[in-house]
């Protein structure tokens, strides 16, 4: 039996050198199109694969009465390169996650408290709209505009999961109104009225 | 303004023909290495993108005191080709999801009730073990052996999400003991004792 | 030398059976997440790999004074599965391709006549805006909102190329205003004023 | 223990429906860009995963004194979609596998008998040339021109493995001289002399 | 409304940390199989996404009467990791882009001036040949030998687009004749005559 | 002809800058999810693409009477990023490669000496078992448990090839018994008897 131990030790040693089961993000190393650099395996611990940042409710004391807390590779380094990430949505009564897209991933939503009305719009402009109850799932195909709205008179909570460790997040209102894109160009490319644009630029801190 | 309507209608018509934002599984069509065939878009409804099958607790009145309910593309056709799927774990006190792998996906676990002790083992045989509380996440890299055990004296519930719409599931004990692989070959390839193998073959319905 | 011919003939015959250099779309066969089914190689001709549909100018006699003509796999079957597609943009003076995204592809634009002001907005809401002259290229990363506007007093023409044979096209205004999503929900999820929404719903044929 | 059996049976039944560990090629079904359709799992046997066609030597009684026997998905259906395939090379003394490429895969060569001089040429026209002995490996990066020549005075045998179940095979001489591409166009696009082209067209059965 | 601004600012800050919509090439950083390292987002400007290098005609005062100007990730860093690149072809009367392959990408050609006769050869040695006029497209599947020849008595210009930001380029004549691969090996692996090989080696600077 | 040389030199120079046909592993640079960093092309030689480490028999003087020698990217840097790797199996009479998985790749086995009984188990617990003779191939789909056993009374040798340059290797017995996972947890998650677990922990060096 001593020999069995021995031969297996050899197997392990030889395989060790070529093993990379995972690539925990080293946030300070160079990034590539495939994600963050890998932290040295000798420095990896189980805590790299566990994330507690979504266990507490986000702050919904604001106008949208909602909060979004991401667990992407930048927050949860163990996800890097594994094709998955997550976020938590808290929606107070009346809370809304406004129209947005994830340029790099599809999304599955799980309601864990309350009820949420969600929809996505397809390339053919069809609306897929449904109110999702606790324990139900809804999937949003990659890159399409979608939103979530609290459907009940108390706090709703959902977790969403993405098919990439870096899904991206583009909130439509911010893309349009929270930067220095000129009102004239926004008007020309959205057909919104000038007054409407200026109003939302004012609210969201845009200029021009 | 009538003209605006007209030109946009033209844009829609021309883009319609080439749009495939999603590929809802047609479970009766031919399968390819990329997944199920796509259901005709004209037959797709929002219900293809919503799944209620995980909202009720699974039956844990059994010896492992646990249940696993999948929401893969075969159960939840809207996921097909989107690189995501899910499952629900119910663990009664003492409940266990035994050692298993998902050959085709990484997994993220979210505890929504109770607390779960989970671990995966790397190619270098390092154990990454942690007790995960409600609201916490743990990631299991693709293809590695892992397990989940209820860590509290009451029911725990978790949802898991996969980086594929068809992650697969190989439960180690079943791969070893629930088929007709001869006891002699199991013994030779696992170093388990013959009596142990025969005992578990008996329990799990294996022969040979 | 006769033998050389012979052996090569054998090589060809044996390799023929396993050759699939391309997968010209059979638009009537089942679709998979990877694209259209492949037309039988025996029916493929060079014309499947050539597309003339973008050689003529599109009709810009409309309110946006622009047209978009796609050459995706649905129009140009030879592209199926090859990770590429194209479209032609015609912009009369004042012409605009309004804010839109391609959920499944990055895009490169080539101006072949005139000059075009284009921009995309990143997830951090930064605007990358530039006026592109004849012969210049601009790239739009996958899934991000972008637009194109004619920058000169005569017709401008551009060709765009995508990193997928099925890039998708979601025109923001249509996703918001050209369907039956209720005004109330649009208002809640865009922060636009009710009057503005109703006005654009009227123009674009939306209801609710 | 009866219950254990019961619960596991349930687990199996529920997981069965969503399992697709492999996609054995159904050569008569529709093809997609991802490969052949999948044969029904109920008809799959171990013989789909085993291939004996490369165990016998190929016929090298020909001018190139060599033979190439493929085990691509078309010959070996179990490989379909798994990202792997193989071929056997037999080279009699003086045997040559002429310059060729695999448009869709990288290749690793293993010499199992004799010795083979092999080379590939990079995009910068650097030649990577080596004589490989029994038991040695050489890798040829995707799509680059390469050849293999017997390096000894007796039969050499090698097996090659590809990073795709459908790597393709383009033999340069055949692409140039074994079809109806006009001598004038071959001359213009290769800078070879007309006489040289006509000579090889004659040998390889080309016309024009 | 101040609160709306506040909550959105929070959303932005939290999402900023995990955003990587693009990966502009840092040509001095380490490369990975997925491409160049990413330039810091804070140093990225719109000019990284715009390329003017293809707006001027290339120099065709040479024997092939043609020029090829690449816009790959190395020249156009904004393309890095986005699955796209481009090149410009200028062909004077009689101009030729000789037989070549792109080992890592499919290609679409757009004629913007004049007319071009182009062809690719499949693995089964079928020639797909066509004369492409201004505004027409032709696609060349990945890795296959192809060429372009001016079809008119004046300058023709085309732009080509690739399904990779690093498509590679292997010009057949250079792979064969512009290096130190011995005449004997070239002869054995191409069946060309020794005199022909030595002649082209002389022209293209090859030795051996 | 001087001009031809000149123009081609220009073509080469311009294409050089953007060529990355391969990415030979720089084992000391940062790793990414896509693999090792690339060694500078100027330092690459043909020896990076050749591997001799599998030409000699491994040492089978041990209890499993077998050895496994990997040629993954860590041992054979030229494979990095090319989607392929290899290993050599030596099995003395009675030799066994115990149940194991490769989390990141499918595998093809080629017997080059003797005969090997091999099997894999699917997610539905079906055993695909066959004795493979010299020159035969068997494929093992990604991530599934499999084993190899010598089927003859003399040494058998096989080479295996993987669909990744970093396939990983998880030997089941080691994952279970060669680390500090507590006997109690192993018992709970495998249904093995405590005595059996302690016995194998003793043999394989596990604790707890």
């Amino acid at each position: 039996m001593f020999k069995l131990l021995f031969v297996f030790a050899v197997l392990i040693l030889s395989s060790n050198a070529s093993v990379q089961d995972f690539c925990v993000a080293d946030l300070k190393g160079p990034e590539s199109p495939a994600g963050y650099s890998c932290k040295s395996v000798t420095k990896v611990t189980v805590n790299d694969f566990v994330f507690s940042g979504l266990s507490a409710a986000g702050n919904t004391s604001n106008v949208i009465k909602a909060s979004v807390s991401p667990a992407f590779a930048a927050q949860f380094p163990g996800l890097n390169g594994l094709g998955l990430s997550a976020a938590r949505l808290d929606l107070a009564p009346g809370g809304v996650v406004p129209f947005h897209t994830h340029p790099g991933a599809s999304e599955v939503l799980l309601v864990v408290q309350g009820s949420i009305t969600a929809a996505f719009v397809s390339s053919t402009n069809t609306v897929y709209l449904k109110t999702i109850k606790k324990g139900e799932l809804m999937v949003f195909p990659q890159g399409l505009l979608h939103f979530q709205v609290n459907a009940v008179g108390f706090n709703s909570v959902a977790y969403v999961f993405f098919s990439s460790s870096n899904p991206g997040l583009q909130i439509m209102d911010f893309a349009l109104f929270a930067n220095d894109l000129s009102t004239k160009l926004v008007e020309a490319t959205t057909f919104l009225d000038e007054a409407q644009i200026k109003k939302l630029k004012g609210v969201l801190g845009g200029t021009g």
Side-chain angles (χ1 to χ4, degrees), chain A:
Chain A
M1 279 300 177
F2 179 77
K3 279 185 183 171
L4 178 59
L5 181 57
F6 177 73
V7 68
F8 273 175
V10 171
L11 278 176
I12 294 174
L13 287 175
S14 61
S15 68
N16 269 9
S18 57
V19 159
Q20 186 197 42
D21 296 320
F22 41 72
C23 174
V24 175
D26 171 4
L27 299 179
K28 295 184 177 165
E31 292 182 51
S32 82
Y36 293 100
S37 292
C38 312
K39 194 173 164 178
S40 166
V41 172
T42 59
K43 294 183 183 168
V44 170
T45 73
V46 68
N47 293 322
D48 290 306
F49 301 106
V50 174
F51 189 68
S52 302
L54 304 189
S55 54
N59 184 354
T60 59
S61 301
N62 52 55
V63 168
I64 61 163
K65 298 171 183 161
S67 75
V68 178
S69 308
F72 298 175
Q75 291 84 32
F76 186 1
L79 294 174
N80 188 46
L82 295 184
L84 277 171
S85 58
R88 174 179 173 143
L89 311 184
D90 287 275
L91 298 105
V96 174
V97 182
F99 259 117
H100 64 284
T101 61
H102 305 285
S106 292
E107 170 184 338
V108 171
L109 175 143
L110 166 71
V111 176
V112 297
Q113 182 182 296
S115 195
I116 289 176
T117 297
F120 70 87
V121 186
S122 76
S123 283
T124 56
N125 306 311
T126 304
V127 178
Y128 295 90
L129 172 75
K130 187 95 177 184
T131 297
I132 308 302
K133 288 171 284 189
K134 182 179 172 181
E136 292 186 323
L137 302 171
M138 182 166 176
V139 62
F140 305 89
Q142 177 168 334
L144 298 177
L145 279 165
H146 60 287
F147 64 78
Q148 289 100 9
V149 176
N150 196 353
V152 293
F154 52 94
N155 287 351
S156 288
V157 181
Y159 287 84
V160 292
F161 295 85
F162 302 99
S163 61
S164 163
S165 61
N166 179 32
L169 168 60
Q170 180 162 57
I171 301 169
M172 193 190 71
D173 266 25
F174 266 70
L176 299 178
F177 307 121
N179 48 45
D180 59 358
L181 186 59
S182 74
T183 297
K184 191 180 159 192
L185 274 172
V186 177
E187 200 179 346
T189 57
T190 63
F191 302 105
L192 296 174
D193 295 337
E194 184 183 355
Q196 176 73 85
I197 295 164
K198 289 196 163 163
K199 180 177 172 186
L200 284 166
K201 274 187 173 284
V203 172
L204 296 171
T207 58

